[in-house]
Amino acid sequence: MGPSSAPGAGAPSAADVPCYDTYPDLALAAVLQLLSRFPARRSPALAHTIACHFQVIAADPRVPESLRACADRLIADWQAYALLGEFVEEGPPSGALH
């Protein structure tokens, strides 16, 4: 399972993502690239992919503790952005009171 898997799926491991098991710094480089694209796209799928990358970084013991801790703190934020984006794209549930 890679970082573009469906929302709600389990967290990917470094071994599940191409080259991240060999080059853990690529996960950090990839998430920086994804973060730079988010303001223009604001896509729930992109937010989910960012959250998945943060999960990979947070779980990889080869990554310095300070970066793992930072990534771990950001996972829930990006999962929330993904859910919020899905709500905005789909609109409120039918029968909602306005």
Side-chain angles (χ1 to χ4, degrees):
M1 169 181 54
S4 61
S5 61
S13 71
D16 293 330
V17 187
C19 298
Y20 294 173
D21 57 339
T22 305
Y23 303 103
D25 55 315
L26 289 181
L28 182 57
V31 80
L32 291 172
Q33 178 72 19
L34 294 167
L35 287 165
S36 73
R37 300 292 185 245
F38 189 77
R41 304 219 26 228
R42 296 191 184 199
S43 159
L46 183 55
H48 175 72
T49 301
I50 291 169
C52 287
H53 274 74
F54 281 135
Q55 288 173 330
V56 167
I57 294 165
D60 193 329
R62 298 169 298 168
V63 173
E65 175 58 31
S66 59
L67 292 177
R68 284 187 289 139
C70 180
D72 189 55
R73 288 190 302 269
L74 291 168
I75 294 167
D77 290 345
W78 284 96
Q79 289 172 335
Y81 296 150
L83 290 175
L84 179 61
E86 289 172 8
F87 178 78
V88 169
E89 282 186 351
E90 295 173 7
S94 61
L97 301 176
H98 289 68

